Amino acid sequence: MKKIIMVILLYANCALAYAGQCYLNAISEPVMHLADYYHSFAATSFKVFCDQSYAIKFSSQNLRSSDGSSYVSNGTYRLKTRMNISGPVRNQWNVPLSQSGNSKDSKYVIAVRLEEQPSIRTPVGIYSDVIYVNLLF
């Protein structure tokens, strides 16, 4: 009877030893607002805590290329933007970027810049894009 209990306890300890944690927190700006002029700029930062190796993927609803070229749109009209990632990864969009478990508390910054001059002919409206951050672990 004691051998069965020992095996069960050892199995439970092994399961606890492999349980990992990954989460995103400390988001500075959940919504970024660009001003209505050429090269206006907005940014947000966040931290990822992970006690194991992981990959992080940055994407956007209106992403045009892996270098962060995108746009904001009011549905029918578009204004070009450029997005940039800084932190422990290179500026590459829509590609899983591997991170080792050694960087337990990593800070990332996403910056967006308006690359097109709004003119008097630019329709009034709410222009938007959605940025996605996926953690794969």
Side-chain angles (χ1 to χ4, degrees):
M1 182 78 166
K2 284 187 177 182
K3 285 186 179 181
I4 295 173
I5 292 173
M6 294 292 274
V7 170
I8 292 171
L9 289 175
L10 182 60
Y11 181 74
N13 284 338
C14 290
L16 290 175
Y18 289 106
Q21 251 189 358
C22 279
Y23 60 89
L24 186 142
N25 70 357
I27 301 169
S28 65
E29 295 294 328
V31 178
M32 295 183 283
H33 296 279
L34 289 171
D36 60 353
Y37 58 86
Y38 182 60
H39 278 175
S40 65
F41 175 85
T44 187
S45 65
F46 60 91
K47 289 187 175 185
V48 171
F49 174 85
C50 203
D51 61 0
Q52 59 188 317
S53 295
Y54 67 96
I56 188 166
K57 184 170 103 172
F58 298 88
S59 189
S60 118
Q61 180 178 343
N62 302 331
L63 187 66
R64 309 278 294 167
S65 68
S66 63
D67 68 351
S69 175
S70 189
Y71 61 88
V72 289
S73 171
N74 70 353
T76 56
Y77 196 83
R78 299 175 177 181
L79 293 169
K80 294 178 189 176
T81 59
R82 172 75 59 189
M83 302 182 300
N84 188 51
I85 306 162
S86 56
V89 294
R90 60 193 180 279
N91 183 42
Q92 194 164 14
W93 290 79
N94 209 28
V95 174
L97 304 167
S98 296
Q99 293 296 299
S100 70
N102 296 337
S103 54
K104 297 214 185 298
D105 192 7
S106 299
K107 184 176 181 178
Y108 297 88
V109 177
I110 300 173
V112 181
R113 185 174 68 181
L114 189 60
E115 291 288 300
E116 190 172 340
Q117 176 68 50
S119 72
I120 193 123
R121 293 193 170 104
T122 303
V124 174
I126 297 173
Y127 290 73
S128 63
D129 190 4
V130 178
I131 295 173
Y132 303 100
V133 177
N134 295 317
L135 283 177
L136 311 160
F137 56 96

